[in-house]
Amino acid sequence: MKRRAAILISGRGSNMESLLRAARHPDYPVEIVLVLSNRPEAAGLATAAAAGIPALAIDHRPFKGDRGAHEATINAALTTARVEFVCLAGYMRLLTPVLVEAWAGRMLNIHPSLLPAFPGLHTHERALAAGVKIHGCTVHLVTQGMDEGPIVAQAAVPVLPGDTAESLGARVLVREHAIYPAALAALALGVVALSPGAEAALLNPLPLPATLP
Ligand code: GRF
């Protein structure tokens, strides 16, 4: 039986689309049962709804800064949908312990850099400014520290002469779309192990090819 996952977004949702695409494959071990956004206007919500996936906005603004109450409402929606795993995919809110502790070991995030380099925002601009020759993306388990959780999967791309943040970001995004479905599958299949030092290790190679139909 497929495991049940939700995706949290705030915007365009291209990583969400890559997860939905992977989940359509009969052999993929996860079904996406809910897409949730803190922004009702997020383009990804309409994309998910058009794909027949329950899509829900829980706007953070009426909560007037009470992040815990907003997250408790999200948690209630996740529980109602009998979600087992949560994927943050461009979800642009810092999380409180309400979500982080409820989903410890079962919540993934994708970040557009090779962590621990360049946590936070504007990663492509900062990578170019730093002059790195290799850049990339990371899928990690979510812990309270921003972009600090155990790394599950990474992919690297070259930084090419003449790159702009846009061209570099586009190259990274292609790899994001490949590693996120693979990392979610690995977590759902139970082949991601956490060592006492809290680094994540794959017990087996990623169970799926990097590119899915
Ligand atoms: C991606 O670059 C992701 O790594 C970051 O936010 C961006 C979201 O893009 N966390 P999209 O909404 O998935 O297209």
Side-chain angles (χ1 to χ4, degrees):
M1 193 140 84
K2 290 196 180 215
R3 309 300 298 270
R4 298 169 67 83
I7 306 172
L8 267 56
I9 62 169
S10 297
R12 121 192 107 169
S14 72
N15 277 288
M16 174 205 76
E17 284 186 73
S18 81
L19 291 166
L20 295 183
R21 204 160 35 244
R24 278 199 286 273
H25 194 283
D27 295 336
Y28 194 73
V30 180
E31 64 176 316
I32 308 301
V33 297
L34 180 64
V35 170
L36 213 153
S37 174
N38 65 306
R39 293 194 166 276
E41 67 277 17
L45 272 186
T47 311
I53 308 296
L56 184 65
I58 300 180
D59 195 336
H60 62 279
R61 286 164 289 199
F63 291 88
K64 299 192 189 308
D66 188 345
R67 289 171 180 270
H70 178 241
E71 291 186 0
T73 306
I74 291 175
N75 257 340
L78 296 172
T79 303
T80 302
R82 292 182 291 116
V83 166
E84 301 174 271
F85 300 97
V86 176
C87 295
L88 306 182
Y91 184 69
M92 302 301 285
R93 303 280 296 167
L94 289 177
L95 300 189
T96 80
V98 172
L99 273 177
V100 172
E101 287 175 10
W103 295 96
R106 298 185 297 146
M107 180 184 274
L108 292 170
N109 180 45
I110 185 146
H111 181 77
S113 78
L114 289 172
L115 291 171
F118 311 121
L121 297 174
H122 309 301
T123 55
H124 310 311
E125 288 87 341
R126 288 158 60 208
L128 289 172
V132 298
K133 303 300 174 211
I134 303 286
H135 187 44
C137 50
T138 303
V139 178
H140 64 93
L141 285 161
V142 175
T143 56
Q144 201 57 64
M146 188 186 61
D147 302 326
E148 280 183 4
I151 292 168
V152 176
Q154 289 187 309
V157 303
V159 180
L160 300 177
D163 258 339
T164 61
E166 288 68 34
S167 63
L168 181 56
R171 193 174 308 121
V172 170
L173 195 62
V174 171
R175 304 298 293 143
E176 293 186 36
H177 296 166
I179 65 169
Y180 211 173
L184 174 61
L187 186 66
L189 290 170
V191 296
V192 177
L194 285 185
S195 78
E199 67 271 27
L202 291 175
L203 298 178
N204 296 306
L206 286 178
L208 292 166
T211 48
L212 289 157

